[in-house]
Amino acid sequence: MKTETRREQLQPPSLLGNILRKLHIDIPLFIGLVFTSLLSFIILYSAGGQETGILLRQAARIGLAFVLMAVLAHIDPHQFKRYSTLLFNIGIFLLIAVLIMGQIGKGAQRWLDIGFFRFQPSEMIKITTPMMIAWYLAEHPLPPKSKQLFIASLLTIIPTLLIAKQPDLGTALLVASSGAGVLFFAGLSWRFILAIVAALSGMAPVLWHFMRGYQRDRVLTLLNPEADPLGRGYHIIQSKIAIGSGGIYGKGWLGSTQSELDFLPESSTDFVFAVFAEEFGLFGCLGLLSLYLLIIGRCLYIAARAQDTYSRLLAGSLAFTFFVYVFVNIGMVIGILPVVGVPLPLISYGGTSIVTLLAGFGILMSIHTHRTFLPN
Amino acid sequence: MSRIYTIKDNLVENRLFLNRIAAAFITILLLTSGLVIRLIYLQIVGHEHYATLAKENSIKIEPLEPTRGIIYDRHGKILAENLPSYSLELIPEQISNMDDTLRRLQNLLAIPNEKIEQYHKQRIRQKRFTSTPLLISMSDEEVAKFAVVRPYFPGVDIHARLVRHYPYKDLASHVVGYVGRINEAELKTLPIAEYRGANHVGKIGIEGFYETELHGKAGYAEIETNVQARAINILNEVDTEPGANLYLTLDIDLQKTAYDALDTFNGAVVAIEIKTGGVLVFASRPGFDPNPFVVGITNNDYQALQASDNQPLYNRALRGLYPPGSSIKPFIALAGLEYNVISVQHRLFCPGYYQLPNASHRYRDWKKGGHGAVSLTEAITQSCDVYFYTLASMLGIDRIHSFLQQFGFGEKSGIDLVGERSGLLPSREWKRNQRNQSWYPGETVITGIGQGFLQISPLQLARATATLANKGNVVTPFLVDKIVRMNSIAPGPESHGKTIPLNPVNANNIIQGMINVVHSARGTAKGISKDIPYQIAGKTGTAQVFNIKQDAKYNEKDIEFKLRDHALFISFAPADDPKIAVAVIVENGGHGGSVAAPIAGKVIRQFLGDKK
């Protein structure tokens, strides 16, 4: 590690490199994100019925997210570490507040109305949970011992259950995997991982028992969408038709009949991948997956190059969670996973998820650009 | 947590972490490969399947209903046409609460429950997203009422459709027929492709018989639709081929004359143009207004028509069977001459009754005291019953049967209408098969004056008369003269072209007798011969509705109207160059000469008057 640091030190900083360093922007990651955002505009224009309104709103949201990313990139990772506990506690407090307000009101309550804008505490929790666990595990030698494991699991399960109760299965899943991601990178023993996987599959009937009716339906629908083609299976059937009819080369941009003619519901939000696959075909899909893999790869590289345990664990978890986003969304749209509300990261329209995602990338950039070149 | 225990081995942690990064990346690659495999399965292996499904999703085949052909009479007067009309139609798939919507519509437009039931029945068999009519032929007021509240009725709309209309209403209802909504049974037999967009089908009359020609060929449009089945774009359209227009041989004015002349009586008039076989008049009274059948007649109205004593739905001209009475006599007389059983000069004595050898039963003549010695011509003119009792006995039933058969009695004429009945021309064989009895001589006797088993329809009688006037060239009656399509004109049905080998001298002798019926002082129908420049040949008939007891005196004023005799008259004119043959049957009309003959007279005068 010392040699690497020295080599970087020896490199004469170019003018551009200097500027970017000052901006704390990681170029490869930045380029990947910009490309994905551009793809988002292209596909949303088609999926949203060629309206510019949807593009403007998406642009505003992405713009805001990029600004937030840049701001976070400027903050020293030590600050994140310092405030991890506080932010996590605030997040939990807000989640409970939302739940109580939901009880007072009626039905699902995810939003907190703070005067001029509405805020989703569950989005914040997506980042503060791995921060908290990374902070906790970094205080101890790795791999974590059973006591730390227990506490880390508790720190994961509490927000997960609070969100699942909202109910927001998608976000709960992402929060759970962010916590699990930290544990994995912290060196959770393989034996233990296998045991958890076995336990989870053993617990499936118990989980089934606790699922709500509509959640069960989603699982059943996945297993046999044709059983209820006009009802619950409709989403999956129509999305499979869209993807399959796209073929190898796709129907071309704006050529989607499934979404253009409104057969595919939620074509700009959670099911936007189906439109993408219909218009750009298998080649387009492979391209998009490669782009995602590049981003994830860069994130893992950043994690590998991080200089302290907290940064490594947090970066690794953020990278892993981003992949879970991609995998769960595409898996659901192509009909191998149940329908849970997870958007296609950076591409789906709307939601606050894009802001949270770019905030995560901001933290990653901060980690990468705040490395010190002299050992302390 | 004490910091004492947090002794970190940086090298170990570093290796562990890098291993985990590598493991994570490999896992991610594996899972991504899973996605790729699934995508390959959907987009390459399943591509054709899903591409087909996508097409079916978005392309809807919309049937286009062809315009039904128009029916004209021989002079181009419209008997059946298509009028634009507004109908209230519903698309079930676009209505969230059907019961509520129907209830609100019912309150708004005072729709009878029956129409709602009809609608339900019809809607079941429709494809998805098909607009199905609830009300047809809406009044302007109803249209206006609905137009105001239309935004509150999603899925309900007013459509302009063409609705069949019969301007002459009851006058030609039986012959023109009507169209009605397609029923379950018809749905199974009709070619489905041609009737996808259709609600109506020809039921009876010309509308029924020429359904294929009138209906035309359905077209379709391939319409790209969205998920609400709203049309976005028409991809391909196959035009409809409108139904053929039919020109009938019927003369609606002549029909009106005949129909009006029947007046309050129930009965039928059939007139045939002898040279062609074209039917000029095909009247059955009472008729009915066919227009309610098009829009869906209410059950009450239909029951009323069905239950009426006068049976307005019954096509008497086609399906009514009557004993011919004395109108059969010219044919029996001709048989006598043709079989050389009698000669024209031979006179028979009529004492007022006839007795079979060794039998006591007296077959009475209509004229008490008898006609005295009568020749064949006089027997026809005066309608002497005893002469024909005798002649029938001499001929025997076998010869009567085979002779009358040639004129089309006992068989369908083959007219282009559905539901014709063959009537009954009795024979030994028939009686043995049907009743398992042998033929009695007395039955031959009464067959001679058109009583007994003999049953004929007005159409058969007119046809036989035309064939007699045509000196044995059998006339095949038909109604459709021309079938006019967009770029072709086809003739109606072919005639049989059969000929009965008759001796023209014999035929002329019979015809002379028939001329005398109308023109001689003792003729039974002499009232209609006034002031005409040509001669009419005719024969009256009176068919008993029930048998009068031996020696009982028949007084028509004493008996109930429904039991009065049917009055018949057959005729053709001009006698020397026959152009029109007319058969008239007036139910419970009493005497043929006084009631039926004047009706035929009016028809003949009008037709031949026109011709001059």
Side-chain angles (χ1 to χ4, degrees), chain A residues 204-265:
Chain A
V206 184
L207 263 177
W208 176 260
H209 181 75
F210 282 107
M211 276 190 192
R212 286 164 187 253
Y214 80 93
Q215 290 167 343
R216 289 182 187 178
D217 286 344
R218 284 176 179 175
V219 177
L220 287 179
T221 303
L222 174 78
L223 297 176
N224 185 15
E226 280 76 15
D228 187 9
L230 290 176
R232 296 186 297 268
Y234 187 78
H235 267 59
I236 293 180
I237 291 174
Q238 294 299 341
S239 114
K240 273 159 69 180
I241 290 174
I243 297 166
S245 66
I248 300 177
Y249 305 106
K251 296 177 184 172
W253 187 47
L254 304 179
S256 157
T257 58
Q258 285 291 99
S259 85
E260 217 74 28
L261 307 173
D262 295 342
F263 285 100
L264 184 68

Side-chain angles (χ1 to χ4, degrees), chain A residues 19-69:
Chain A
I19 293 171
L20 288 168
R21 182 145 298 185
K22 288 255 164 61
L23 283 174
H24 293 282
I25 296 297
D26 179 58
I27 294 302
L29 191 52
F30 184 74
I31 290 172
L33 296 176
V34 167
F35 261 106
T36 320
S37 304
L38 287 178
L39 272 183
S40 169
F41 291 129
I42 288 170
I43 199 65
L44 284 183
Y45 183 65
S46 171
Q50 301 171 28
E51 276 178 44
T52 45
I54 184 173
L55 294 189
L56 287 176
R57 286 192 293 275
Q58 180 81 348
R61 211 169 271 128
I62 288 184
L64 179 77
F66 268 91
V67 168
L68 180 65
M69 178 184 80

Side-chain angles (χ1 to χ4, degrees), chain B residues 44-66:
Chain B
I44 296 179
V45 181
H47 172 62
E48 232 175 74
H49 171 65
Y50 290 114
T52 314
L53 288 180
K55 274 232 154 53
E56 280 174 11
N57 244 352
S58 56
I59 294 173
K60 196 181 145 195
I61 306 290
E62 183 80 34
L64 302 175
E65 193 183 356

Side-chain angles (χ1 to χ4, degrees), chain B residues 130-395:
Chain B
T130 305
S131 191
T132 312
L134 171 65
L135 277 182
I136 299 179
S137 293
M138 293 172 82
S139 67
D140 288 348
E141 197 191 333
E142 285 172 324
V143 171
K145 260 188 187 171
F146 179 76
V148 175
V149 295
R150 192 177 153 247
Y152 302 103
F153 289 92
V156 186
D157 215 341
I158 292 175
H159 289 249
R161 281 187 188 251
L162 291 177
V163 166
R164 201 68 162 167
H165 181 250
Y166 305 99
Y168 289 98
K169 294 183 177 155
D170 58 336
L171 183 55
S173 49
H174 294 109
V175 58
V176 175
Y178 57 81
V179 297
R181 294 199 187 200
I182 299 170
N183 64 31
E184 295 293 321
E186 286 158 345
L187 199 65
K188 283 178 191 135
T189 52
L190 288 172
I192 189 78
E194 291 296 330
Y195 286 86
R196 273 249 158 73
N199 289 314
H200 289 85
V201 66
K203 299 278 182 180
I204 63 162
I206 292 291
E207 292 273 31
F209 192 90
Y210 286 96
E211 172 60 25
T212 318
E213 287 79 2
L214 286 165
H215 180 72
K217 291 196 88 64
Y220 63 87
E222 281 175 21
I223 297 174
E224 194 173 13
T225 60
N226 70 3
V227 71
Q228 276 92 35
R230 293 224 185 283
I232 306 281
N233 191 13
I234 295 177
L235 300 175
N236 183 22
E237 206 174 315
V238 173
D239 276 338
T240 60
E241 199 180 289
N245 293 338
L246 300 185
Y247 285 82
L248 304 192
T249 56
L250 202 77
D251 181 335
I252 194 68
D253 295 329
L254 207 56
Q255 172 103 352
K256 183 171 170 25
T257 302
Y259 192 76
D260 290 348
L262 280 167
D263 201 15
T264 57
F265 286 108
N266 296 343
V269 179
V270 177
I272 297 175
E273 191 179 34
I274 292 165
K275 289 284 171 320
T276 61
V279 173
L280 295 161
V281 173
F282 204 81
S284 173
R285 184 153 190 154
F288 59 94
D289 184 357
N291 290 305
F293 285 84
V294 181
V295 297
I297 190 167
T298 63
N299 223 359
N300 280 345
D301 290 352
Y302 187 67
Q303 292 299 333
L305 283 174
Q306 284 258 301
S308 166
D309 285 344
N310 295 324
Q311 292 180 283
L313 296 179
Y314 189 46
N315 186 351
R316 291 174 162 80
L318 186 70
R319 296 172 55 78
L321 294 180
Y322 306 88
S326 303
S327 64
I328 203 73
K329 285 175 183 167
F331 303 96
I332 301 286
L334 187 57
L337 293 180
E338 286 290 317
Y339 286 112
N340 279 319
V341 175
I342 45 162
S343 68
V344 185
Q345 293 76 28
H346 185 78
R347 283 178 177 267
L348 284 174
F349 183 74
C350 166
Y353 61 88
Y354 172 78
Q355 272 178 313
L356 280 168
N358 313 319
S360 64
H361 186 93
R362 288 187 169 185
Y363 297 90
R364 298 180 314 139
D365 195 286
W366 64 271
K367 192 175 179 184
K368 216 183 166 201
H371 298 271
V374 284
S375 69
L376 178 129
T377 324
E378 287 162 350
I380 292 173
T381 308
Q382 298 169 29
S383 199
C384 172
D385 288 338
V386 171
Y387 187 94
F388 286 96
Y389 291 143
T390 317
L391 179 54
S393 283
M394 291 160 75
L395 278 165

